């Protein structure tokens, strides 16, 4: 990837690890537009490879979702959802079987907001934007609590200027996939406080049996 270019390409290589004579072999290659955010922006499910990328900067940036399948030595794009949230920066992605959750942040007609997008991947050839929830701030990390709830960890933000404020944890209810709701949330610390969890999910601990979400600050 070339972060300095408005025309960025991500190359993808698939390896076969199941051979006894030669345990690692290149199986297929492919490419998509844009740069991948992190490991959570990629996922394999039911023979398909899904990836969310971002291309460009500022007013020219856009977020795209691609679905690829192997066809001989090539990974071919069979489905796309392009130009998701133009002009907004991609902050986090989470795949959950035939669903995807994407968070961007940037200026809209009403100010600076964090849209949580819900995306239906039931048909790999036709990814569909199902729902959208706009709230102040942004989430750097999304964590599935159960089938219908996920946690967003990030920061609150000034809706007028877009300046980041104090850290916050949000609980999303996606029971109605086309109408995601904010079930609750809280801010903690101050606007200059920082957590390694913003960039490294290994700094987060979630204890499902106790309902505890632990983040260092």
């Amino acid at each position: 990837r070339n972060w300095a270019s408005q025309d960025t390409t991500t190359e993808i290589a698939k390896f076969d690890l199941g051979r006894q004579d030669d345990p690692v072999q290149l199986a297929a290659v492919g490419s998509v537009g844009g740069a991948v955010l992190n490991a959570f922006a990629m996922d394999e499910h039911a023979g398909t490879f899904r990836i969310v990328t971002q291309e460009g900067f500022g007013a020219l940036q856009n977020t795209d979702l691609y679905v690829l399948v192997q066809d001989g030595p090539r990974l071919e794009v069979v489905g796309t959802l392009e130009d998701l949230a133009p002009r907004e920066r991609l902050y986090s992605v989470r795949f959950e079987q035939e669903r995807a959750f994407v968070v961007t942040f940037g200026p809209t007609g009403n100010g600076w907001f964090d849209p949580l997008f819900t995306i239906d991947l039931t048909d790999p050839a036709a990814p569909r934007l199902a729902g959208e929830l706009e709230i102040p701030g942004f989430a750097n990390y999304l964590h599935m609590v159960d089938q219908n709830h996920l946690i967003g960890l990030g920061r609150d933000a000034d809706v007028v200027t877009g300046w980041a404020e104090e850290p916050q944890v949000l609980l999303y209810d996606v029971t109605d996939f086309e109408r995601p709701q904010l079930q609750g949330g809280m801010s903690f610390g101050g606007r200059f406080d920082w957590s390694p969890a913003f960039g490294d999910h290994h700094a987060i601990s979630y204890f499902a049996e106790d309902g505890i979400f632990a983040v260092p600050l």
Side-chain angles (χ1 to χ4, degrees), residues 10 12 29-32 43-51 65-71 74-80 124:
T10 293
I12 305 167
V29 295
S31 64
V32 296
D43 179 77
E44 189 278 334
H45 176 71
T48 65
F49 180 76
R50 297 89 64 88
I51 182 171
L65 182 149
Y66 299 92
V67 181
L68 300 91
V69 297
Q70 183 176 351
D71 183 7
R74 293 291 304 171
L75 292 171
E76 301 290 352
V77 175
V78 297
T80 61

Side-chain angles (χ1 to χ4, degrees), residues 29-115:
V29 295
S31 64
V32 296
V36 65
L37 178 66
N38 53 33
F40 293 105
M42 301 179 287
D43 179 77
E44 189 278 334
H45 176 71
T48 65
F49 180 76
R50 297 89 64 88
I51 182 171
V52 175
T53 65
Q54 181 152 73
E55 189 169 11
F57 297 90
L60 298 178
Q61 65 189 351
N62 58 276
T63 297
D64 303 315
L65 182 149
Y66 299 92
V67 181
L68 300 91
V69 297
Q70 183 176 351
D71 183 7
R74 293 291 304 171
L75 292 171
E76 301 290 352
V77 175
V78 297
T80 61
L81 181 60
E82 298 180 305
D83 297 327
L84 189 66
R87 300 182 60 199
E88 298 186 12
R89 177 183 169 187
L90 176 64
Y91 270 83
S92 57
V93 181
R94 194 81 186 201
F95 288 96
E96 175 67 15
Q97 297 183 0
E98 295 178 342
R99 303 181 300 171
F101 304 94
V102 175
V103 168
T104 62
F105 179 69
T108 67
N110 300 320
W112 289 70
F113 290 96
D114 150 25

Side-chain angles (χ1 to χ4, degrees), residues 135-138 151-158 163-171 182 184-193 198 213 215 217:
I135 57 174
F138 52 85
I151 293 172
L153 169 68
R155 287 186 179 276
D156 196 359
D158 188 299
W163 286 102
E165 300 288 351
E166 66 273 11
Q168 67 178 3
V169 173
L170 304 175
L171 181 63
L182 181 63
M186 65 169 295
S187 299
F188 55 96
R191 66 181 305 181
F192 298 110
D193 286 329
F198 291 149
F213 186 78
V215 180
L217 186 70

Side-chain angles (χ1 to χ4, degrees), residues 175-213:
T175 304
D176 185 343
F177 197 59
E178 299 192 357
R179 296 174 180 82
Q181 302 293 322
L182 181 63
Q183 183 165 322
M186 65 169 295
S187 299
F188 55 96
R191 66 181 305 181
F192 298 110
D193 286 329
W194 176 84
S195 172
F198 291 149
D200 182 5
H201 69 280
H202 295 98
I204 297 170
S205 295
Y206 177 64
F207 305 93
E209 63 278 8
D210 299 313
I212 294 175
F213 186 78

